[in-house]
Amino acid sequence: MKRLGNTRRKGRTGRLVAAGVACGAALAALTVPAAEAGPLGPGGGGVHWAAKDPGTPQVRFRGLAAVDHRTAWLAGTEGTVLRTTDGGAGWRNVSPPGAGDLQFRDVEAFDARHAVVLAIGEGEASRVYRTDDGGASWTEPFRNTDPNAFYDCLAFFDRRHGLAVSDPVDGRFRMLSTSDGGRSWRVLPAAGMPPALAGEAGFAASGQCLVTSGPRDVWLATGGGAHARVLHSADRGLTWTAADTPVPAGDPAKGVFALAFRDRTHGLAVGGDYRPDQPSPQAAAVTADGGTTWTPAGAPPPAYRSGAAWLPHSRTAALAVGPTGTDLTTDGGHTWRTVDTGSYDTVACTPDLSCWAAGEQGRVARLER
């Protein structure tokens, strides 16, 4: 039995190493200079978004939690939560019972068994669910009772500490906090939150309007006000500072839709105008000082983008996705080039060198070669 156990561990280790090598090769091919690379896709040197069809074409997945090469969670419309543990070859519907009328927009997963999902909407439509058994059962530790609150995004610092953000209530963004992995939640005091601008809100477009890096730093992306801002807290959401970004705002459809930080100082912001008939100039910005100041991308994505993710273990490469395509930067967000024209709303990459994307019409894919 001992020999069998060792063999199983060695076999699993070998599969993980092989998966990491394959994904690493795909990412390496993707980031070669533009002059040497074809477009992402079947004719682009073999690097492409490989579809992982979950069989739910009626669902739009804006929530995505990528755990590793084999395990990912999806959250979407019609109260849908799906999970794969075999790299997307098969998907299990693990939706919470009775949630069919809810809109799930964010999911945070710690592994294949433990996950937290957020339903968005006014009043009691905003809810948090948690599972400890891979979705076989769920608890509902939070249901919003304030008719003025509308929760947009979730983010965790570690397996215990996390936040959820609501659009402004009484003139300030509201923060919900957990210190036990999402089993219980409490509203944080609003005193440390700067006043919201008129019309300012968050965008529940990809689960990336609230992001963390390290044990205490968290950033919030906004739009709809006179300026598209990024708010930063270095104490898990107790006190915040706000910084303007060059991403256009001044309209309910415009602003920063997603953030990605590779550490506590280097970050990306993407967004624009989500209306398909409107242009989105200057739809990306970068920071190298933790969000205190933001610089416009010299060559931004050509259209609205709703999701972003740094490529694993890279200091300069990242992906941005939206309804009209995927863009790649290899210089830390200063210039972007379109590498695919498929529609995705959100993207996530994992430490074992895999990247996943999800979006409308049940679209799910993993980057492969």
Side-chain angles (χ1 to χ4, degrees):
M1 290 298 293
K2 186 176 181 180
R3 254 193 330 270
L4 179 60
N6 288 340
T7 300
R8 284 175 176 169
R9 283 194 292 271
K10 288 178 181 178
R12 182 175 184 273
T13 299
R15 288 193 299 272
L16 289 175
V17 170
V21 170
C23 291
L27 295 176
L30 180 61
T31 57
V32 299
E36 303 172 22
L40 185 65
V47 182
H48 62 286
W49 284 123
K52 306 294 180 181
D53 183 13
T56 52
Q58 78 282 7
V59 178
R60 187 165 195 163
F61 293 113
R62 294 184 184 270
L64 166 66
V67 177
D68 53 36
H69 181 72
R70 297 181 63 81
T71 303
W73 296 70
L74 300 169
T77 54
E78 300 183 4
T80 306
V81 180
L82 305 183
R83 184 191 64 150
T84 183
T85 56
D86 58 9
W91 294 87
R92 183 179 177 185
N93 189 327
V94 295
S95 306
D101 293 333
L102 299 179
Q103 298 265 345
F104 287 128
R105 293 293 182 92
D106 201 354
V107 54
E108 302 291 326
F110 308 115
D111 51 42
R113 294 183 60 81
H114 301 86
V116 179
V117 296
L118 173 71
I120 62 106
E122 296 178 348
E124 292 192 2
S126 284
R127 307 177 192 180
V128 176
Y129 291 83
R130 179 188 163 92
T131 182
D132 293 316
D133 54 14
S137 63
W138 295 85
T139 59
E140 185 190 309
F142 174 77
R143 182 181 296 200
N144 175 52
T145 58
D146 189 332
N148 298 312
F150 185 117
Y151 285 84
D152 298 303
C153 293
L154 281 172
F156 275 80
F157 302 93
D158 51 43
R159 294 180 71 97
R160 293 186 59 82
H161 300 91
L163 298 173
V165 61
S166 164
D167 288 339
V169 177
D170 297 328
R172 298 175 192 269
F173 284 94
R174 174 171 289 179
M175 284 291 158
L176 195 66
S177 174
T178 181
S179 58
D180 56 11
R183 295 177 178 86
S184 64
W185 297 82
R186 67 185 181 94
V187 175
L188 292 180
M193 179 68 70
L197 304 176
E200 191 175 25
F203 291 108
S206 62
Q208 295 176 324
C209 70
L210 187 72
V211 301
T212 64
S213 181
R216 305 188 70 83
D217 286 275
V218 57
W219 294 265
L220 166 63
T222 81
H227 304 281
R229 302 197 298 174
V230 173
L231 282 63
H232 171 233
S233 171
D235 55 12
R236 291 186 184 156
L238 293 177
T239 60
W240 296 79
T241 57
D244 292 347
T245 76
V247 176
D251 184 279
K254 296 180 180 180
V256 177
F257 282 72
L259 298 168
F261 275 79
R262 66 172 174 83
D263 53 39
R264 66 188 307 266
T265 57
H266 297 87
L268 308 169
V270 300
D273 189 325
Y274 71 75
R275 295 170 294 193
D277 59 340
Q278 297 297 314
S280 290
Q282 297 180 316
V286 300
T287 182
D289 57 13
T292 301
T293 59
W294 292 85
T295 303
Y304 157 71
R305 295 294 181 253
S306 56
W310 290 92
L311 269 62
H313 312 298
S314 174
R315 297 177 60 85
T316 58
L319 296 170
V321 299
T324 62
T326 299
D327 301 291
L328 170 72
T329 178
T330 55
D331 59 8
H334 295 282
T335 61
W336 297 82
R337 61 183 173 95
T338 301
V339 292
D340 182 76
T341 57
S343 175
Y344 296 102
D345 292 314
T346 187
V347 61
C349 297
T350 65
D352 72 339
L353 302 175
S354 69
C355 291
W356 296 75
E360 63 182 343
Q361 298 179 344
R363 291 170 58 90
V364 187
R366 192 180 64 190
L367 195 65
E368 295 181 4
R369 184 177 187 180

